[in-house]
mmCIF file of all heavy atoms in Angstrom:
data_model
loop_
_atom_site.group_PDB
_atom_site.id
_atom_site.type_symbol
_atom_site.label_atom_id
_atom_site.label_comp_id
_atom_site.label_asym_id
_atom_site.label_seq_id
_atom_site.Cartn_x
_atom_site.Cartn_y
_atom_site.Cartn_z
ATOM 1 N N GLN W 1 -4.992 -27.965 -6.248
ATOM 2 C CA GLN W 1 -3.970 -29.006 -6.093
ATOM 3 C C GLN W 1 -2.533 -28.408 -6.135
ATOM 4 O O GLN W 1 -1.616 -29.071 -5.698
ATOM 5 C CB GLN W 1 -4.119 -30.043 -7.202
ATOM 6 C CG GLN W 1 -5.466 -30.728 -7.217
ATOM 7 C CD GLN W 1 -5.543 -31.765 -8.338
ATOM 8 O OE1 GLN W 1 -4.649 -32.586 -8.514
ATOM 9 N NE2 GLN W 1 -6.630 -31.769 -9.108
ATOM 10 N N ALA W 2 -2.421 -27.227 -6.730
ATOM 11 C CA ALA W 2 -1.061 -26.714 -6.917
ATOM 12 C C ALA W 2 -1.108 -25.133 -6.867
ATOM 13 O O ALA W 2 -0.535 -24.469 -7.727
ATOM 14 C CB ALA W 2 -0.492 -27.170 -8.224
ATOM 15 N N TRP W 3 -1.714 -24.659 -5.848
ATOM 16 C CA TRP W 3 -1.901 -23.159 -5.748
ATOM 17 C C TRP W 3 -0.555 -22.447 -5.646
ATOM 18 O O TRP W 3 -0.381 -21.369 -6.193
ATOM 19 C CB TRP W 3 -2.791 -22.837 -4.582
ATOM 20 C CG TRP W 3 -2.205 -23.244 -3.237
ATOM 21 C CD1 TRP W 3 -2.448 -24.433 -2.583
ATOM 22 C CD2 TRP W 3 -1.284 -22.571 -2.413
ATOM 23 N NE1 TRP W 3 -1.782 -24.491 -1.391
ATOM 24 C CE2 TRP W 3 -1.066 -23.344 -1.280
ATOM 25 C CE3 TRP W 3 -0.711 -21.281 -2.475
ATOM 26 C CZ2 TRP W 3 -0.249 -22.920 -0.185
ATOM 27 C CZ3 TRP W 3 0.127 -20.870 -1.455
ATOM 28 C CH2 TRP W 3 0.372 -21.673 -0.323
ATOM 29 N N LEU W 4 0.453 -23.104 -4.996
ATOM 30 C CA LEU W 4 1.734 -22.410 -4.871
ATOM 31 C C LEU W 4 2.468 -22.352 -6.207
ATOM 32 O O LEU W 4 3.095 -21.305 -6.539
ATOM 33 C CB LEU W 4 2.561 -23.116 -3.820
ATOM 34 C CG LEU W 4 3.914 -22.462 -3.472
ATOM 35 C CD1 LEU W 4 3.669 -21.044 -2.909
ATOM 36 C CD2 LEU W 4 4.702 -23.303 -2.474
ATOM 37 N N LEU W 5 2.404 -23.423 -6.965
ATOM 38 C CA LEU W 5 3.002 -23.397 -8.333
ATOM 39 C C LEU W 5 2.368 -22.301 -9.160
ATOM 40 O O LEU W 5 3.049 -21.570 -9.880
ATOM 41 C CB LEU W 5 2.793 -24.782 -9.000
ATOM 42 C CG LEU W 5 3.707 -25.907 -8.576
ATOM 43 C CD1 LEU W 5 3.343 -27.178 -9.355
ATOM 44 C CD2 LEU W 5 5.163 -25.587 -8.774
ATOM 45 N N LEU W 6 1.077 -22.213 -9.104
ATOM 46 C CA LEU W 6 0.357 -21.169 -9.916
ATOM 47 C C LEU W 6 0.682 -19.777 -9.382
ATOM 48 O O LEU W 6 0.860 -18.842 -10.248
ATOM 49 C CB LEU W 6 -1.155 -21.411 -9.849
ATOM 50 C CG LEU W 6 -1.618 -22.766 -10.428
ATOM 51 C CD1 LEU W 6 -3.124 -22.953 -10.264
ATOM 52 C CD2 LEU W 6 -1.240 -22.860 -11.939
ATOM 53 N N ALA W 7 0.841 -19.619 -8.085
ATOM 54 C CA ALA W 7 1.277 -18.271 -7.573
ATOM 55 C C ALA W 7 2.669 -17.950 -8.102
ATOM 56 O O ALA W 7 2.944 -16.780 -8.408
ATOM 57 C CB ALA W 7 1.241 -18.326 -6.069
ATOM 58 N N ALA W 8 3.510 -18.940 -8.179
ATOM 59 C CA ALA W 8 4.883 -18.721 -8.675
ATOM 60 C C ALA W 8 4.868 -18.273 -10.139
ATOM 61 O O ALA W 8 5.628 -17.396 -10.557
ATOM 62 C CB ALA W 8 5.709 -19.987 -8.557
ATOM 63 N N VAL W 9 3.965 -18.819 -10.935
ATOM 64 C CA VAL W 9 3.818 -18.444 -12.336
ATOM 65 C C VAL W 9 3.344 -16.983 -12.435
ATOM 66 O O VAL W 9 3.868 -16.180 -13.249
ATOM 67 C CB VAL W 9 2.832 -19.378 -13.081
ATOM 68 C CG1 VAL W 9 2.585 -18.872 -14.480
ATOM 69 C CG2 VAL W 9 3.403 -20.800 -13.152
ATOM 70 N N VAL W 10 2.422 -16.610 -11.613
ATOM 71 C CA VAL W 10 1.930 -15.208 -11.601
ATOM 72 C C VAL W 10 3.069 -14.271 -11.282
ATOM 73 O O VAL W 10 3.320 -13.203 -11.951
ATOM 74 C CB VAL W 10 0.808 -15.023 -10.558
ATOM 75 C CG1 VAL W 10 0.457 -13.537 -10.389
ATOM 76 C CG2 VAL W 10 -0.477 -15.787 -10.963
ATOM 77 N N VAL W 11 3.882 -14.599 -10.293
ATOM 78 C CA VAL W 11 5.004 -13.760 -9.874
ATOM 79 C C VAL W 11 6.032 -13.679 -11.028
ATOM 80 O O VAL W 11 6.530 -12.589 -11.357
ATOM 81 C CB VAL W 11 5.620 -14.297 -8.614
ATOM 82 C CG1 VAL W 11 6.990 -13.588 -8.292
ATOM 83 C CG2 VAL W 11 4.681 -14.123 -7.420
ATOM 84 N N ALA W 12 6.387 -14.823 -11.609
ATOM 85 C CA ALA W 12 7.446 -14.831 -12.659
ATOM 86 C C ALA W 12 6.963 -13.990 -13.876
ATOM 87 O O ALA W 12 7.718 -13.199 -14.422
ATOM 88 C CB ALA W 12 7.709 -16.262 -13.112
ATOM 89 N N ALA W 13 5.675 -14.188 -14.285
ATOM 90 C CA ALA W 13 5.152 -13.445 -15.428
ATOM 91 C C ALA W 13 5.130 -11.976 -15.079
ATOM 92 O O ALA W 13 5.523 -11.112 -15.933
ATOM 93 C CB ALA W 13 3.807 -13.964 -15.821
ATOM 94 N N GLY W 14 4.536 -11.612 -13.925
ATOM 95 C CA GLY W 14 4.410 -10.227 -13.574
ATOM 96 C C GLY W 14 5.696 -9.556 -13.490
ATOM 97 O O GLY W 14 5.852 -8.380 -13.880
ATOM 98 N N PHE W 15 6.694 -10.229 -12.869
ATOM 99 C CA PHE W 15 8.040 -9.667 -12.714
ATOM 100 C C PHE W 15 8.641 -9.339 -14.061
ATOM 101 O O PHE W 15 9.136 -8.221 -14.311
ATOM 102 C CB PHE W 15 8.904 -10.580 -11.951
ATOM 103 C CG PHE W 15 10.325 -10.083 -11.645
ATOM 104 C CD1 PHE W 15 10.576 -9.440 -10.488
ATOM 105 C CD2 PHE W 15 11.315 -10.197 -12.590
ATOM 106 C CE1 PHE W 15 11.844 -8.904 -10.223
ATOM 107 C CE2 PHE W 15 12.585 -9.716 -12.363
ATOM 108 C CZ PHE W 15 12.842 -9.035 -11.146
ATOM 109 N N GLU W 16 8.611 -10.329 -14.985
ATOM 110 C CA GLU W 16 9.232 -10.146 -16.294
ATOM 111 C C GLU W 16 8.589 -8.973 -17.046
ATOM 112 O O GLU W 16 9.280 -8.090 -17.569
ATOM 113 C CB GLU W 16 9.100 -11.431 -17.154
ATOM 114 C CG GLU W 16 9.712 -11.257 -18.549
ATOM 115 C CD GLU W 16 9.574 -12.550 -19.340
ATOM 116 O OE1 GLU W 16 8.418 -12.879 -19.729
ATOM 117 O OE2 GLU W 16 10.547 -13.174 -19.598
ATOM 118 N N GLN W 17 7.266 -8.924 -17.139
ATOM 119 C CA GLN W 17 6.583 -7.884 -17.873
ATOM 120 C C GLN W 17 6.756 -6.518 -17.227
ATOM 121 O O GLN W 17 6.925 -5.504 -17.925
ATOM 122 C CB GLN W 17 5.050 -8.261 -17.971
ATOM 123 C CG GLN W 17 4.750 -9.496 -18.706
ATOM 124 C CD GLN W 17 5.306 -9.476 -20.117
ATOM 125 O OE1 GLN W 17 5.135 -8.516 -20.818
ATOM 126 N NE2 GLN W 17 5.958 -10.561 -20.519
ATOM 127 N N ALA W 18 6.752 -6.457 -15.889
ATOM 128 C CA ALA W 18 6.915 -5.191 -15.230
ATOM 129 C C ALA W 18 8.330 -4.635 -15.431
ATOM 130 O O ALA W 18 8.507 -3.428 -15.696
ATOM 131 C CB ALA W 18 6.662 -5.320 -13.730
ATOM 132 N N VAL W 19 9.348 -5.473 -15.370
ATOM 133 C CA VAL W 19 10.704 -5.025 -15.557
ATOM 134 C C VAL W 19 10.927 -4.552 -16.999
ATOM 135 O O VAL W 19 11.515 -3.490 -17.229
ATOM 136 C CB VAL W 19 11.720 -6.107 -15.185
ATOM 137 C CG1 VAL W 19 13.107 -5.763 -15.648
ATOM 138 C CG2 VAL W 19 11.687 -6.316 -13.682
ATOM 139 N N LEU W 20 10.433 -5.320 -17.968
ATOM 140 C CA LEU W 20 10.606 -4.948 -19.363
ATOM 141 C C LEU W 20 9.947 -3.596 -19.640
ATOM 142 O O LEU W 20 10.423 -2.786 -20.402
ATOM 143 C CB LEU W 20 10.065 -6.009 -20.246
ATOM 144 C CG LEU W 20 10.823 -7.348 -20.358
ATOM 145 C CD1 LEU W 20 10.078 -8.355 -21.205
ATOM 146 C CD2 LEU W 20 12.220 -7.088 -20.937
ATOM 147 N N ALA W 21 8.791 -3.371 -19.012
ATOM 148 C CA ALA W 21 8.046 -2.168 -19.301
ATOM 149 C C ALA W 21 8.552 -0.971 -18.509
ATOM 150 O O ALA W 21 8.550 0.167 -18.978
ATOM 151 C CB ALA W 21 6.532 -2.384 -19.028
ATOM 152 N N LEU W 22 8.989 -1.197 -17.252
ATOM 153 C CA LEU W 22 9.182 -0.076 -16.373
ATOM 154 C C LEU W 22 10.642 0.179 -15.940
ATOM 155 O O LEU W 22 10.951 1.226 -15.333
ATOM 156 C CB LEU W 22 8.338 -0.309 -15.074
ATOM 157 C CG LEU W 22 6.852 -0.283 -15.328
ATOM 158 C CD1 LEU W 22 6.079 -0.716 -14.080
ATOM 159 C CD2 LEU W 22 6.366 1.045 -15.792
ATOM 160 N N LEU W 23 11.576 -0.803 -16.205
ATOM 161 C CA LEU W 23 12.941 -0.535 -15.883
ATOM 162 C C LEU W 23 13.524 0.725 -16.606
ATOM 163 O O LEU W 23 14.214 1.524 -15.971
ATOM 164 C CB LEU W 23 13.789 -1.765 -16.138
ATOM 165 C CG LEU W 23 15.239 -1.667 -15.612
ATOM 166 C CD1 LEU W 23 15.304 -1.518 -14.099
ATOM 167 C CD2 LEU W 23 16.081 -2.927 -16.033
ATOM 168 N N PRO W 24 13.200 0.952 -17.897
ATOM 169 C CA PRO W 24 13.644 2.142 -18.544
ATOM 170 C C PRO W 24 13.143 3.409 -17.845
ATOM 171 O O PRO W 24 13.820 4.434 -17.733
ATOM 172 C CB PRO W 24 13.103 2.052 -19.954
ATOM 173 C CG PRO W 24 12.925 0.584 -20.190
ATOM 174 C CD PRO W 24 12.514 0.025 -18.834
ATOM 175 N N VAL W 25 11.866 3.351 -17.355
ATOM 176 C CA VAL W 25 11.299 4.505 -16.621
ATOM 177 C C VAL W 25 12.080 4.694 -15.348
ATOM 178 O O VAL W 25 12.372 5.822 -14.926
ATOM 179 C CB VAL W 25 9.811 4.256 -16.316
ATOM 180 C CG1 VAL W 25 9.217 5.405 -15.525
ATOM 181 C CG2 VAL W 25 9.047 4.042 -17.618
ATOM 182 N N TYR W 26 12.400 3.579 -14.633
ATOM 183 C CA TYR W 26 13.192 3.707 -13.405
ATOM 184 C C TYR W 26 14.555 4.345 -13.691
ATOM 185 O O TYR W 26 15.007 5.160 -12.851
ATOM 186 C CB TYR W 26 13.349 2.200 -12.884
ATOM 187 C CG TYR W 26 14.144 2.124 -11.558
ATOM 188 C CD1 TYR W 26 13.524 2.291 -10.361
ATOM 189 C CD2 TYR W 26 15.562 1.893 -11.584
ATOM 190 C CE1 TYR W 26 14.268 2.214 -9.207
ATOM 191 C CE2 TYR W 26 16.240 1.812 -10.409
ATOM 192 C CZ TYR W 26 15.602 1.954 -9.213
ATOM 193 O OH TYR W 26 16.270 1.882 -8.017
ATOM 194 N N GLY W 27 15.187 4.018 -14.827
ATOM 195 C CA GLY W 27 16.463 4.563 -15.126
ATOM 196 C C GLY W 27 16.461 6.076 -15.353
ATOM 197 O O GLY W 27 17.432 6.725 -14.982
ATOM 198 N N THR W 28 15.363 6.589 -15.861
ATOM 199 C CA THR W 28 15.272 8.034 -16.063
ATOM 200 C C THR W 28 15.324 8.805 -14.762
ATOM 201 O O THR W 28 15.758 9.927 -14.761
ATOM 202 C CB THR W 28 13.993 8.411 -16.871
ATOM 203 O OG1 THR W 28 12.827 8.025 -16.072
ATOM 204 C CG2 THR W 28 13.932 7.718 -18.178
ATOM 205 N N HIS W 29 14.898 8.201 -13.678
ATOM 206 C CA HIS W 29 14.941 8.854 -12.382
ATOM 207 C C HIS W 29 16.390 9.160 -11.988
ATOM 208 O O HIS W 29 16.649 10.141 -11.273
ATOM 209 C CB HIS W 29 14.304 7.939 -11.327
ATOM 210 C CG HIS W 29 14.434 8.465 -9.923
ATOM 211 N ND1 HIS W 29 13.650 9.501 -9.430
ATOM 212 C CD2 HIS W 29 15.288 8.093 -8.919
ATOM 213 C CE1 HIS W 29 14.019 9.727 -8.129
ATOM 214 N NE2 HIS W 29 14.976 8.883 -7.842
ATOM 215 N N TYR W 30 17.303 8.328 -12.463
ATOM 216 C CA TYR W 30 18.749 8.493 -12.129
ATOM 217 C C TYR W 30 19.478 9.203 -13.269
ATOM 218 O O TYR W 30 20.686 9.296 -13.256
ATOM 219 C CB TYR W 30 19.388 7.151 -11.837
ATOM 220 C CG TYR W 30 18.886 6.490 -10.612
ATOM 221 C CD1 TYR W 30 17.753 5.636 -10.600
ATOM 222 C CD2 TYR W 30 19.498 6.723 -9.364
ATOM 223 C CE1 TYR W 30 17.305 5.013 -9.455
ATOM 224 C CE2 TYR W 30 19.040 6.164 -8.214
ATOM 225 C CZ TYR W 30 17.965 5.288 -8.248
ATOM 226 O OH TYR W 30 17.500 4.729 -7.084
ATOM 227 N N GLY W 31 18.733 9.640 -14.283
ATOM 228 C CA GLY W 31 19.361 10.332 -15.397
ATOM 229 C C GLY W 31 20.176 9.431 -16.298
ATOM 230 O O GLY W 31 21.087 9.881 -17.001
ATOM 231 N N ILE W 32 19.793 8.143 -16.330
ATOM 232 C CA ILE W 32 20.572 7.166 -17.118
ATOM 233 C C ILE W 32 20.056 7.240 -18.589
ATOM 234 O O ILE W 32 18.844 7.195 -18.798
ATOM 235 C CB ILE W 32 20.470 5.756 -16.522
ATOM 236 C CG1 ILE W 32 21.081 5.744 -15.131
ATOM 237 C CG2 ILE W 32 21.140 4.692 -17.420
ATOM 238 C CD1 ILE W 32 20.887 4.429 -14.389
ATOM 239 N N ALA W 33 20.962 7.211 -19.522
ATOM 240 C CA ALA W 33 20.539 7.289 -20.937
ATOM 241 C C ALA W 33 19.751 6.077 -21.382
ATOM 242 O O ALA W 33 19.941 4.990 -20.851
ATOM 243 C CB ALA W 33 21.797 7.409 -21.819
ATOM 244 N N GLU W 34 18.856 6.325 -22.332
ATOM 245 C CA GLU W 34 18.025 5.216 -22.882
ATOM 246 C C GLU W 34 18.882 4.054 -23.418
ATOM 247 O O GLU W 34 18.496 2.883 -23.244
ATOM 248 C CB GLU W 34 17.107 5.754 -23.946
ATOM 249 C CG GLU W 34 16.024 6.673 -23.453
ATOM 250 C CD GLU W 34 15.068 7.134 -24.539
ATOM 251 O OE1 GLU W 34 15.230 6.619 -25.651
ATOM 252 O OE2 GLU W 34 14.171 7.953 -24.302
ATOM 253 N N ALA W 35 20.013 4.406 -24.073
ATOM 254 C CA ALA W 35 20.850 3.359 -24.685
ATOM 255 C C ALA W 35 21.402 2.443 -23.586
ATOM 256 O O ALA W 35 21.454 1.198 -23.743
ATOM 257 C CB ALA W 35 21.989 3.972 -25.459
ATOM 258 N N ARG W 36 21.813 3.022 -22.458
ATOM 259 C CA ARG W 36 22.334 2.195 -21.361
ATOM 260 C C ARG W 36 21.250 1.332 -20.738
ATOM 261 O O ARG W 36 21.509 0.150 -20.419
ATOM 262 C CB ARG W 36 22.954 3.139 -20.275
ATOM 263 C CG ARG W 36 23.728 2.313 -19.206
ATOM 264 C CD ARG W 36 24.554 3.302 -18.342
ATOM 265 N NE ARG W 36 25.436 2.550 -17.426
ATOM 266 C CZ ARG W 36 25.109 2.269 -16.151
ATOM 267 N NH1 ARG W 36 23.937 2.669 -15.679
ATOM 268 N NH2 ARG W 36 25.949 1.614 -15.361
ATOM 269 N N MET W 37 20.043 1.875 -20.557
ATOM 270 C CA MET W 37 18.955 1.106 -20.034
ATOM 271 C C MET W 37 18.553 -0.053 -20.978
ATOM 272 O O MET W 37 18.279 -1.146 -20.503
ATOM 273 C CB MET W 37 17.746 2.015 -19.722
ATOM 274 C CG MET W 37 17.986 2.989 -18.622
ATOM 275 S SD MET W 37 18.663 2.282 -17.087
ATOM 276 C CE MET W 37 17.382 1.081 -16.667
ATOM 277 N N SER W 38 18.587 0.237 -22.297
ATOM 278 C CA SER W 38 18.315 -0.826 -23.244
ATOM 279 C C SER W 38 19.379 -1.920 -23.088
ATOM 280 O O SER W 38 19.033 -3.140 -23.190
ATOM 281 C CB SER W 38 18.277 -0.281 -24.648
ATOM 282 O OG SER W 38 17.220 0.670 -24.825
ATOM 283 N N ALA W 39 20.627 -1.521 -22.940
ATOM 284 C CA ALA W 39 21.691 -2.519 -22.807
ATOM 285 C C ALA W 39 21.519 -3.339 -21.529
ATOM 286 O O ALA W 39 21.795 -4.541 -21.508
ATOM 287 C CB ALA W 39 23.040 -1.790 -22.816
#
């Protein structure tokens, strides 16, 4: 009955968790300090 709403939830959750976990890793590629990535 609401497959698109549920797909949106999957995307929102996956995006948030992936960014929190992997954005610091992404920053190291550019030589950005951990403190700046945390900020």
Side-chain angles (χ1 to χ4, degrees):
Q1 301 179 48
W3 60 269
L4 186 60
L5 283 179
L6 297 176
V9 173
V10 172
V11 170
F15 184 94
E16 179 181 71
Q17 297 301 315
V19 169
L20 289 175
L22 296 172
L23 189 61
V25 179
Y26 181 85
T28 61
H29 173 77
Y30 292 90
I32 298 173
E34 291 182 5
R36 187 169 189 264
M37 293 309 301
S38 296

